[in-house]
Amino acid sequence: MNYEQPMNSKLIRNVWAVGRNYADHAAEMKVEVPKSPMIFLKAGTSVETGSKIKLPTWSKDVHHELEIAYWIDDKLEFTYLTLALDLTARDAQAEAKAKGQPWTMAKSFTGSCPLGSWISLQDAGPLDELTFELKKNQQVVQIGSAKEMIFKPEILLQFIKKHFPVSGSDILLTGTPAGVGPLQSGDLLQATLQSGNRKLLACHWDVE
Ligand code: ZN
């Protein structure tokens, strides 16, 4: 099977993301699991492909959220996946939630979507065998298993195609498992993605 190679990540258009897609993360946030996908947007220009994370000066509480991300091709199908950090200014998010305001400030700031390199779905193997892990300063902080997703990636794709102007070169973030936490200048993040015992991807980021 031939796959269209993902373009330079600078060309990413929309970043569709889903909140509360793992029950353990919803529990740690003390929120209910949604009955239909809770979709929000991050700006396509918030994507970063380097290994540096620059924290916004105006937030004192930027959290890591490690997630599996899918590339959407011109046929509006998934062809590649990688790991992404859905960086979240938790203080701005709490304020927005309290006031009933949108999450844009919390979710879509400059540099808020670091991405790893793309792996074809063929190489990645079955969804249910995918597991991922984030270490902060050598300590494991997040462990995820794709089979624990409340809404599977294909269901999320159908949902966003039904409701939004999805286009080729968009990406979809599929939600984070429990263990989110704050980042500080000097932190080292290391993320891995596995299919069963097979390591698919390793990424690292330095927090500036
Ligand atoms: Zn997230």
Side-chain angles (χ1 to χ4, degrees), residues 56-107:
T57 54
W58 44 263
S59 173
K60 299 264 178 295
D61 198 25
V62 174
H63 280 201
H64 53 78
E65 295 190 357
L66 185 67
E67 315 200 355
I68 295 174
Y70 285 82
W71 175 268
I72 298 171
D73 71 4
D74 288 341
K75 293 181 193 149
L76 306 189
E77 291 170 358
F78 295 143
T79 43
Y80 285 77
L81 60 73
T82 189
L83 289 173
L85 287 172
D86 170 22
L87 294 181
T88 303
R90 200 67 76 197
D91 42 4
Q93 188 187 36
E95 196 180 328
K97 278 183 183 173
K99 291 181 182 167
Q101 290 176 351
W103 290 5
T104 311
M105 182 80 109
K107 289 288 194 181

Side-chain angles (χ1 to χ4, degrees), residues 35-55:
K35 294 196 172 59
S36 67
M38 204 182 90
I39 303 294
F40 59 91
L41 274 168
K42 293 169 84 82
T45 46
S46 71
V47 168
E48 284 292 336
T49 53
S51 61
K52 302 237 183 291
I53 290 173
K54 206 167 179 189
L55 299 174

Side-chain angles (χ1 to χ4, degrees), residues 81 120-127 129-130 195 198 200:
L81 60 73
S120 77
L121 291 197
Q122 204 170 33
D123 290 342
L127 174 72
E129 289 179 24
L130 294 177
S195 171
R198 191 163 55 96
L200 296 174

